[in-house]
Amino acid sequence: MRLHHLTLQAFGPFAGTHTVDFDALSADGLFLLHGDTGAGKSTLFTAICFALYGEPPVDRDLMLRSHHAPADLLTQVTLDVTISGHRLRIDRVPQQMRPKKNGTGETPQKAETRLSRWTTDSAGKGHWEPSSKSHQETGKEIKDLLGMSRTQFCQVVLLPQNEFTKFLYADAGKRRELLGKLFHTDRYAFIERWLSDHSRTIQKNRDAARDEVLHLAARIHQAAGPDLKSQYDAPSADAAHDVTDPALAWAGDLIQASQADALTAQADAEKAKKNQLAQQKLEAAARDLHRQQTTYATAREQLDWLDEQTPHQEALTRRRDQARRAQQLAPLLHALSTARADHSRAQSSERDARTRLLAEHAELEAADLATAGQRIRDDIAVLNALLPEEAGLHQLTTELKRIDAERQDFALQQSTARDWLEQETAQRTALEIRREAAREAEEESRRQQTQLENLSGRMAAAERRDAHRAQITATEQRLAAAEEEAEKAAQAHIGIRRRRTEGMAAELATGLTDGAPCPVCGSCSHPNPAQAPDGHPTREDEQAAEKAHQRLQQKRDKIAAELHKLREDAAAATGEAGDTPLASLKADHETLTKQLADSLKRAADRRSAEEGLLALDREHTAMTQQDSSATAGLSDRNAHYDNLSQHHAELTAKLDAARGTAPTLAARIDDLTRTADHLEQAAEASRTANTATQTLHTRTSEATDAATAQGFGTLTQAEQALLSEQDLTGIEEEINTWREARASHQAVLDDPALQQAAAQPAADIETAAARRAAADDQHAQAVTASSTAQTRTTTLTDLTTALAEVVDRLKALEQAHHTARHLADLASGTASGTASGTRVRMQLEAYVLAARLEQVVAAANTRLHLMSEGRYALRHSDHQAAHGARSGLGLEVTDAWTGHPRKTDTLSGGESFFASLSLALGLADVVTHEAGGNPLDTLFIDEGFGTLDDDTLHNVLDVLDSLRAHDRTVGVISHIPELRRRITQRLHVRKGPTGSTLAHLTEAAE
């Protein structure tokens, strides 16, 4: 991936439109991104991530729109980038609010995505061709081309040093969390969980099968009962090995014993059956004799009982004959009964109607009652005509109440306004005094603010002055030591050169060879070459001494320049701050700060006082208007109220006379209506009672004459003899039933067979039944015993068959559980070394991550070797953790100076930085390869350089240069001034009150 151009518009702290030319910025392969804290350096990477993935790096709810931007300028990001050989332009507009095109207010702006490709036409001319406007399609294509997720991209393109320092120091658990996210090893964790769940499932099934074996054994034991014995012991939960083959042997032995018992019980049942049949025949003969004797005796008793009822039957016959004669009078008797009932109801209704009448109407006849009711109906018509006037009286009363309420409200408004106007003068005077005091405090605060700013500048200069003076003292000591070291190195260099010159003959003699000319005299013969004394310095010794002298001279000159710069800075700071002690300046600053705070507090009251005066003016106008309108309204309501009151009194007198004692006209009308209704009802009831009396007299005379003609002495005798059709039928049925029963019982007594049975002794059915019952019980017991024995044998056979099936399943589950448990323990790292054949306890996911960590460490060490000048190397450790904890993701550092490994948290700040930088670069290489091998031509490194000394910083920059040598562009995000002097291509982010801006600088800072 190579970045070309990035355009920001109203994005984050950038209010306008800004473009970053990465092609120009990456001309040297290394550029610096610097600026004040909060200026927006990290916003550039946020924009790159948003353009590629449609989301910011971490916080998905991050506010992307700039607060400084104009309302009509949309937030937008455009990225020109080459990925896997495809040059793309991505335009993204996040969801935001924008002004409406028509009218006022805001409307939502939907998120937009546009993807374009750089293509070349047939003429060789390049242009941008639209490819997609879909969020999903664009996101999928970018992710497929990059080969990594948003999290992986942010991890390998922006290398956050603080995070990798944490990774360097972290325990195995935290390393596992980070590596797991980057390498997506959650699938191995899923395998671990599946193996564990599978093992528990099989164990559960095995335990269930074992419980089923024990349950079947208990059922077999229960079915066998206490009388069956076996030479084997029954299986139990305490002995797991007894629940398989020994259990089957025990069950088979019980089946054999049960089969022997079943044969014996079957023979006993057959013998009891023969005895039962004989006793059943004897009992049947005794019961038949007893039945015949009982039938004869019962018929004799019933016939005697019927003969005793002969007088009663004769009386029933006479009652039946009278009822038949009375049926001839039934219509007249029924009419008489109806007339009596009507007469009784009419008299009762008349009495009830007259009880509801007034006292003066109680004794009137029917015609007089009707006349009185009509007079009352005429009075009701007159009162109905007055009902509208009563409704008008109610409306008039309501209107008087409303007007009176308005009068009281106007009076209250008038009183309130006049009271406020009387108190206004005092309030206005107090507010004007407060405003003047606040104005004076505001002027005083401006003077104090100027003084405080000058004093703050002097304090800062005094702090620099004191710091420079302390540094000058320390630097002077360092310079004296450096001069002394340089002088000693110079003397050592001169001494070595002098000694080498003195022994130069011996040095030349070491290069003489027989037959070769001497470089000094030219002779080919060397009879007595000079010998070098012990400890004679070589040319390499002289060169090393010279380099040491030059290095110490450079160190001395550097310290001298540093001392000169410190003295100049100290003089400048003293000129600005003077010789006043810093403590005195701080005391003056604190006093002035308190005075300024007091002045600002008093000045803050000015706005409140001015607002109070404005509010007082508005209230004065309102109260004046309220007094005027309330006075006019009160006068109008008083006149209207007087007119309505007079009309109300006249109408009230008229209606009171019409209502009488009733509360309302409607109530008076209701009372009169009820009285008229009662009079009319009483008149009707009186007429009905007179008619019923005449009808009753006629019906009585007709019925009496008819009863005499039928032979009844009186009308009462005829009425008593009359029966209903049902009663008459019942009497005739009773007479016929008696006659038929007597004939039936006489026929039974005349039967010869029954007469012969009655002459024999009484049958003893109890003895016969007892003998038959004893035989039945004996047979039932024998059959039950045989059936029980057979059922027990069948049950034991079925249970044993089921037991054999469960035992076979249990054997298979035992073997499956052993295998599954071993695999689960092996994957989770909980298996013991002896049992599993493993050296360490390591989870499957940790094992995979350990392999990835080894790759990361190998890639990191290639950079760490250069940064540490060959001293340090990282090493992955899979030693077992303390107390038997699972292992696999340990990390330690090997020090070449000591040859021993040590913990990573023993590294210094600078060592931790370049170690974590090496890890970050190594991880970027491994994740890139894991994601598909797509090259990442641009990397960003975030901070951490401030912990390095000059030499280490030089080594780190060499490593970064090596990245550049592999055609990678490296962007460094840092505040370190030294980097601004060493890196010529710089992007400076400046912040301001109207938003941040960008500046591309191409020269090293002075």
Side-chain angles (χ1 to χ4, degrees), residues 198-215:
H198 180 63
S199 174
R200 285 195 295 269
T201 301
I202 294 180
Q203 181 180 1
K204 183 178 179 181
N205 294 337
R206 183 209 61 187
D207 294 341
R210 186 175 292 172
D211 292 341
E212 189 174 354
V213 169
L214 295 175
H215 177 67

Side-chain angles (χ1 to χ4, degrees), residues 100-403:
K100 294 182 178 179
K101 296 181 179 179
N102 297 320
T104 59
E106 294 183 333
T107 185
Q109 167 68 42
K110 294 183 178 180
E112 296 180 1
T113 299
R114 293 184 295 274
L115 177 65
S116 304
R117 292 178 177 273
W118 181 259
T119 58
T120 305
D121 55 18
S122 57
K125 185 178 180 181
H127 65 280
W128 290 107
E129 181 177 348
S131 176
S132 176
K133 292 185 178 181
S134 170
H135 303 301
Q136 290 77 12
E137 290 181 0
T138 301
K140 183 178 184 305
E141 183 166 356
I142 296 298
K143 187 175 180 179
D144 291 343
L145 290 174
L146 283 173
M148 61 182 69
S149 65
R150 179 176 62 93
T151 302
Q152 290 176 313
F153 175 81
C154 296
Q155 194 67 56
V156 302
V157 176
L158 176 65
L159 305 182
Q161 295 308 308
N162 290 335
E163 291 298 325
F164 276 90
T165 301
K166 295 179 182 177
F167 179 78
L168 185 67
Y169 294 155
D171 56 18
K174 293 182 179 178
R175 287 197 189 102
R176 176 175 179 172
E177 180 179 357
L178 174 61
L179 293 174
K181 291 180 181 178
L182 292 177
F183 293 109
H184 297 292
T185 57
D186 52 347
R187 57 185 180 274
Y188 299 103
F190 171 77
I191 293 174
E192 294 177 29
R193 292 193 298 271
W194 185 90
L195 287 174
S196 178
D197 294 342
H198 180 63
S199 174
R200 285 195 295 269
T201 301
I202 294 180
Q203 181 180 1
K204 183 178 179 181
N205 294 337
R206 183 209 61 187
D207 294 341
R210 186 175 292 172
D211 292 341
E212 189 174 354
V213 169
L214 295 175
H215 177 67
L216 288 173
R219 291 181 61 189
I220 292 173
H221 190 276
Q222 182 181 7
D227 55 329
L228 286 185
K229 304 297 181 182
S230 173
Q231 61 179 332
Y232 303 104
D233 294 332
S236 63
D238 297 334
H241 61 279
D242 291 341
V243 298
T244 52
D245 292 337
L248 294 176
W250 167 76
D253 198 28
L254 289 178
I255 291 176
Q256 294 179 359
S258 178
Q259 289 174 345
D261 287 349
L263 293 175
T264 302
Q266 185 177 2
D268 293 341
E270 292 175 354
K271 181 179 179 180
K273 180 64 176 176
K274 294 179 180 180
N275 182 51
Q276 180 190 33
L277 293 174
Q279 294 299 327
Q280 285 178 350
K281 291 179 180 180
L282 293 175
E283 181 192 19
R287 287 189 179 279
D288 186 57
L289 178 61
H290 179 267
R291 179 184 59 77
Q292 292 176 344
Q293 291 176 343
T294 301
T295 300
Y296 186 84
T298 301
R300 178 75 271 173
E301 292 176 357
Q302 291 295 324
L303 185 60
D304 294 342
W305 180 76
L306 290 174
D307 289 342
E308 293 176 356
Q309 294 183 352
T310 300
H312 174 68
Q313 293 297 322
E314 292 175 351
L316 283 178
T317 301
R318 292 191 296 272
R319 181 76 178 89
R320 180 194 60 186
D321 295 340
Q322 290 178 355
R324 286 176 176 174
R325 286 188 288 113
Q327 278 186 334
Q328 304 296 323
L329 305 175
L332 294 176
L333 294 177
H334 179 69
L336 176 60
S337 177
T338 301
R340 288 173 180 171
D342 292 343
H343 180 262
S344 178
R345 285 195 298 272
Q347 286 184 332
S348 177
S349 298
E350 182 181 11
R351 286 194 299 271
D352 293 341
R354 288 185 178 274
T355 58
R356 293 191 291 271
L357 297 177
L358 298 177
E360 62 268 21
H361 301 145
E363 301 300 331
L364 296 178
E365 296 296 332
D368 296 334
L369 290 173
T371 301
Q374 184 59 43
R375 287 198 301 268
I376 292 176
R377 294 291 183 188
D378 296 339
D379 294 339
I380 291 172
V382 174
L383 294 176
N384 281 327
L386 295 176
L387 284 175
E389 294 190 12
E390 187 178 43
L393 180 62
H394 289 308
Q395 295 177 356
L396 190 59
T397 302
T398 302
E399 181 69 12
L400 284 172
K401 291 180 180 179
R402 184 186 64 79
I403 294 175

Side-chain angles (χ1 to χ4, degrees), residues 602-868:
R602 288 185 286 110
D605 190 45
R606 179 176 180 178
R607 182 175 181 181
S608 176
E610 290 177 346
E611 290 177 352
L613 287 171
L614 291 175
L616 198 64
D617 292 339
R618 292 192 296 269
E619 190 74 8
H620 175 82
T621 301
M623 286 301 175
T624 301
Q625 293 177 353
Q626 178 176 323
D627 179 46
S628 176
S629 60
T631 301
L634 181 61
S635 176
D636 178 68
R637 296 303 184 276
N638 286 335
H640 193 194
Y641 186 83
D642 293 340
N643 294 332
L644 292 179
S645 295
Q646 182 178 359
H647 186 202
H648 181 272
E650 295 173 353
L651 189 57
T652 299
K654 179 180 179 181
L655 294 176
D656 286 345
R659 284 193 295 262
T661 59
T664 64
L665 283 177
R668 177 61 176 166
I669 292 173
D670 290 342
D671 291 343
L672 293 176
T673 301
R674 282 192 298 272
T675 301
D677 292 342
H678 293 162
L679 286 170
E680 293 170 354
Q681 293 169 1
E684 181 64 24
S686 179
R687 288 191 293 270
T688 302
N690 292 334
T691 303
T693 300
Q694 295 175 1
T695 301
L696 177 61
H697 179 73
T698 302
R699 295 291 182 267
T700 301
S701 177
E702 292 175 352
T704 301
D705 295 341
T708 302
Q710 287 293 333
F712 291 102
T714 62
L715 180 62
T716 301
Q717 291 178 354
E719 290 176 344
Q720 291 176 350
L722 182 64
L723 294 176
S724 65
E725 190 69 27
Q726 182 178 2
D727 292 342
L728 181 59
T729 302
I731 290 175
E732 289 180 347
E733 289 179 352
E734 184 178 355
I735 293 172
N736 294 332
T737 300
W738 178 79
R739 291 175 179 175
E740 292 172 357
R742 194 175 183 285
S744 174
H745 292 308
Q746 185 63 49
V748 171
L749 293 176
D750 294 340
D751 187 353
L754 295 179
Q755 291 176 357
Q756 182 181 0
Q760 295 182 12
D764 188 2
I765 62 173
E766 293 182 357
T767 301
R771 291 175 180 174
R772 196 270 309 166
D776 288 345
D777 292 342
Q778 183 180 4
H779 177 260
Q781 291 175 0
V783 171
T784 300
S786 177
S787 176
T788 301
Q790 186 64 38
T791 301
R792 179 174 61 182
T793 301
T794 302
T795 302
L796 289 176
T797 302
D798 294 340
L799 291 175
T800 302
T801 301
L803 179 65
E805 294 175 357
V806 177
V807 166
D808 292 341
R809 189 167 73 252
L810 176 59
K811 291 179 180 179
L813 288 172
E814 291 280 5
Q815 181 62 33
H817 174 258
H818 176 75
T819 303
R821 182 69 268 167
H822 176 71
L823 290 175
D825 292 343
L826 192 64
S828 62
T830 57
S832 61
T834 303
S836 64
T838 58
R839 182 174 58 86
V840 294
R841 302 173 63 193
M842 185 182 298
Q843 290 179 274
L844 178 61
E845 183 181 12
Y847 177 80
V848 176
L849 292 176
R852 294 290 186 268
L853 184 58
E854 288 181 351
Q855 298 173 353
V856 171
V857 169
N861 281 333
T862 60
R863 279 85 178 217
L864 182 59
H865 181 78
L866 296 175
M867 294 184 190
S868 64

Side-chain angles (χ1 to χ4, degrees), residues 1 146 148 153 156-157 924 928 934-939 968-969:
M1 181 193 73
L146 283 173
M148 61 182 69
F153 175 81
V156 302
V157 176
T928 301
N934 293 330
L936 295 174
D937 301 321
T938 305
L939 294 177
R968 279 188 176 182
T969 298

